[in-house]
Amino acid sequence: MERSTQFTLLICSSFVLAAVAQNGSRNLTALFHVGVILDLSTLVGKMGMTSISMAVEDFYAMHRNYTSRLVLHTKDSRSDVIQAASAAQDLIENYEVEAIVGPQKSSQAIFVAELGDKSHVPIISFSATSPTFSSLTPYFIRTTLNDSSQVSSISSIIKAYGWREVVLIYEDTEYGRGIIPYLIDSLQGVETRVPYRSVIPISATDDQIMIELYKLMTMRTRVFILHMTPIIGSRLFLKAKEAGMMSEGFVWILSTGLTNIIDSLDPSVTDTMQGALGVKLYVPKTRKFNDFATRWKRRFLQDHPSDEPSELSIYALSAYDTIWAVAMAVQKVGMGMLGASMNGPKLLEAILMSKFEGLSGDFYIIDGQVQYSTFQIINVVGKGGRGIGFWTPEHGITRQLNNSITKGYSTSMTDLNTVIWPGDYNSVPKGWEIPVSGKKLRIGVPVTQGVPMLMNVETDPVTHLTIASGYCIDVFESAITKLPYAIPYEYVPFQTTQGKLAGSYNDLVYQVYLQKFDAVVGDVTIRYNRSLYVDFTLPFTESGVSMIVPVTDGKNMNAWIFLQPLTLELWLGSLAFFIFTGFVIWIMEHRINTDFRGPFSHQLGTIFYFSFSTLVFSHREKIESNLSKLVVIVWVFVVLVLTSSYTASLTSMLTVQQLQPTVTNVHELLKNGDYVGYPRNSFVEILLKQLNFEASKMRAYDDSVDEYFMALSRGSKNGGVSAVVHEIPYIKFFLAKHCTGFTMVGPIYKTAGFGFVFPKGSPLVPDVSRAILNLTDGDSIIQIEKKWFGDQKTCLNQGSIIISAPNSLSFCSFWGLFLITGVVSISSLFMFFIMFLYKNWHELRTIDTDKSVWQRFRSWARYYNKKDMKSYTFRIGKPDNNTSPSTSIMNGDSNVKASTGDNSPNMIIHSCDLYTTYSPPVEESSSPELSRTSTEDRLVNVVVSH
Ligand SMILES: *[C@@H]1O[C@H](CO)[C@@H](O)[C@H](O)[C@H]1NC(C)=O
Ligand SMILES: *[C@@H]1O[C@H](CO)[C@@H](O)[C@H](O)[C@H]1NC(C)=O
Ligand SMILES: *[C@@H]1O[C@H](CO)[C@@H](O)[C@H](O)[C@H]1NC(C)=O
Ligand SMILES: *[C@@H]1O[C@H](CO)[C@@H](O)[C@H](O)[C@H]1NC(C)=O
Ligand SMILES: *[C@@H]1O[C@H](CO)[C@@H](O)[C@H](O)[C@H]1NC(C)=O
């Protein structure tokens, strides 16, 4: 305490005395005691102090008739928390200050704010920026922005340049740590990872800093966000320059801690920061600002003659505005008669209500904090920061500050001026580097003999260098050349000392996880279980697992294939309906149509012939009854559907059977207990087991086209296999070589195709994936395919045959049709009988009334069997309702009561004249009426003509 009083400078009371002296007669009604706590040995402290002195002078020079005066009591907190707290206590208790300006640091603010809160003394800090809420008490006012305000501008820069990983470096203080949660949240918002945070204790020695920097060098991330106060920050940069971290490929982004006073830093320090980016609070350079700047610099030099001249900074401006706000509030509150604890709340309220145009912009307080929002993005070049753009919460990054811009929020690199990066580098650093230890990317390649066109690895016998070639390698190398940066790499074979593949592909991929390889390139399929350990790029091949099976040609085609389109039940069902329909027609036509009359065998023949001839629509019998016409029309429609279905089915059978795979699906293999082949060391083995294949039925082969060919040729029964299950790219190469005799069946399983393997979180993955898309979208990939596999179009059975087992048509497919024709036939038959009984009832009921039911029934049947002479057909060519004698002759039926007596030959002649005499012979007649003329009529005709 005593030592601190030594440092207490009551310089400011002199202003008051001066004011009194100016007008001795004037009453000075109110003296307000205000404490100031700053680290007077720091640059910020010195700047603040100069501004505070100037502010008091300027304020009262401008407001001469104000009746209040500030009396300042300044204490040096000497960069110490306890010192600041005791200074605050001293000021409150012994000096009875009514407000305290300061403290300077966030860590000090926590305690001082607590004291202020207890004794109702407003604490107004213009430089404690830590956003932690612990410093928030109602009596704590921040006349600057807290650090969380700048995180969005920093992450916007990261996003604009597309960096995906950053390392945070910050000092281990309240100030340094406060921003970190906010910064990490904000970086997550732009999908940027923070793989490492480097915390530098304030007490760290240069050696410790150097060790930490070397550690950072071994990591791949090359983007550093630095959040530090100038003292430790300057030291760190000196060391970073020494470590070579201020050179090409590195990115440094500074928070406001350094940028806000970057113009005032020692030139030797700014020299080490060349190329760094940063954000700083933006203050428009108005005329007022410029005038003040000149005065301020002069004054600073006066106050600190032994120091370097300093530039005006945001701290100086905030300190100046703070004093103005306090002075105004004090004047508003008025008489200081009540003592500190009574004035406190009123003074606090007055300060919170302040609103004026300060040097740093519009000064107003919301939530205990001054509101500014514009940040300038700077690039450290030469002696200070060169503005390259702005950041505002509304528009994001913009090149110019222009209130009339209407565009939305954007974070685009094109909105920033060009940057000179560390090492005088002009293009944007990619933000990561292969760790120094690796130098070249070690790319593992599988040693396979399988499909050399896909992947072939050899060792040069002379130079012992690994030479990889094939489709996969070409795709990889083309993709690498598409990257915007160069990547040195070398191939490392994954092999045993005998030159064989050292394990399965899973093992190969696992080497990346174990960091034995930096990547794996080859015919590696993207699989779920592998993706747990590594990251895959996008696939560059087609995907899926299928089978190669031999095909049989269609020469041994079955002689009975014509029966196959319909199932037996459909054949029998159709037959039954043919007969049924013929029978129905016969019943309905029998009495009225001579075509359906005659000897029993003849009638039977007609029934069958009629119904079967509908099959080809060649039935010639004339149908008389309307009911039978209806039945026939419906039936013919059914027949039409049936025959066309038969034709279609037969056609498809004949064509499909041309190239018939011997096996059409996996289940057939399982059912037959056939052997199935698969490539050794491939995931296909697991897949087959999942499909319930027994291990004894599976045969592994070295991945080579010839081996598969031999095995398939031998067949399952002779020690070979019935099918080989493999991934589609391989199958295509197999088929390209053995085009005839084999085909692909499937796919039976989906996979994601081949991809390149990188360690988890590798920044190369998105870039290489994009390069692969660039290849696959264009025709580059087709060129590569042509180079390795030639034009595959020549082989026609390349594509997978989708097998639809030739389906026979069953009765079920047509029962609807049969239902319709059945219903129509039966209901017609029913109606026919009703009409028959109705028309003939008076005769039927008189027949054999005395006989048994059975005999009566037979008599009725006999009655039915007779011609229906009343029918329209038989009336043609006959006058009136009477039967002609000839009819009766032909009929020879004694039961018919033919009254021949009435018939006169004249009438017959007449009728013949009408219908026959003038017409050509009946057979050739095209007239429907005449063609109906029966044999009997012709007979009559002949008789009459003679
Ligand atoms: C001193 O105060 C009186 C009244 O209070 C005023 O009339 C006079 O102008 C003042 N003199 C100076 C030098 O400010
Ligand atoms: C100064 O104070 C005296 C009494 O202390 C009072 O009578 C006088 O009016 C005051 N003058 C002014 C200008 O306020
Ligand atoms: C001071 O004087 C100005 C005019 O010169 C006047 O507008 C203002 O109200 C006065 N303020 C006080 C506190 O007397
Ligand atoms: C920090 O500033 C932001 C906006 O500038 C504000 O939303 C937030 O509440 C402030 N945090 C603290 C602790 O003052
Ligand atoms: C591939 O990238 C180049 C530029 O790198 C571009 O010009 C080209 O259009 C891209 N190709 C496709 C198919 O997108």
Side-chain angles (χ1 to χ4, degrees), residues 481-483 770-771 773-780:
T481 58
K482 297 255 175 196
L483 295 182
R770 204 168 297 125
L773 286 183
N774 187 296
L775 290 176
T776 48
D777 282 2
D779 75 338
S780 324

Side-chain angles (χ1 to χ4, degrees), residues 721-766:
V721 292
S722 294
V724 169
V725 176
H726 213 324
E727 284 165 86
I728 287 173
Y730 299 94
I731 295 186
K732 291 211 156 177
F733 306 136
F734 179 90
L735 292 178
K737 215 168 170 188
H738 301 282
C739 184
T740 50
F742 296 95
T743 190
M744 179 158 76
V745 172
I748 53 179
Y749 207 79
K750 275 208 184 311
T751 60
F754 295 162
F756 303 127
V757 180
F758 288 97
K760 274 240 169 281
S762 165
L764 270 173
V765 172

Side-chain angles (χ1 to χ4, degrees), residues 84-96:
S86 63
Q89 186 133 25
D90 187 28
L91 284 170
I92 291 168
E93 280 171 7
N94 303 332
Y95 294 86
E96 294 191 337

Side-chain angles (χ1 to χ4, degrees), residues 811-827:
F811 189 79
C812 299
S813 352
F814 291 105
W815 69 263
L817 274 178
F818 287 118
L819 182 72
I820 290 170
T821 178
V823 165
V824 169
S825 300
I826 288 170
S827 47

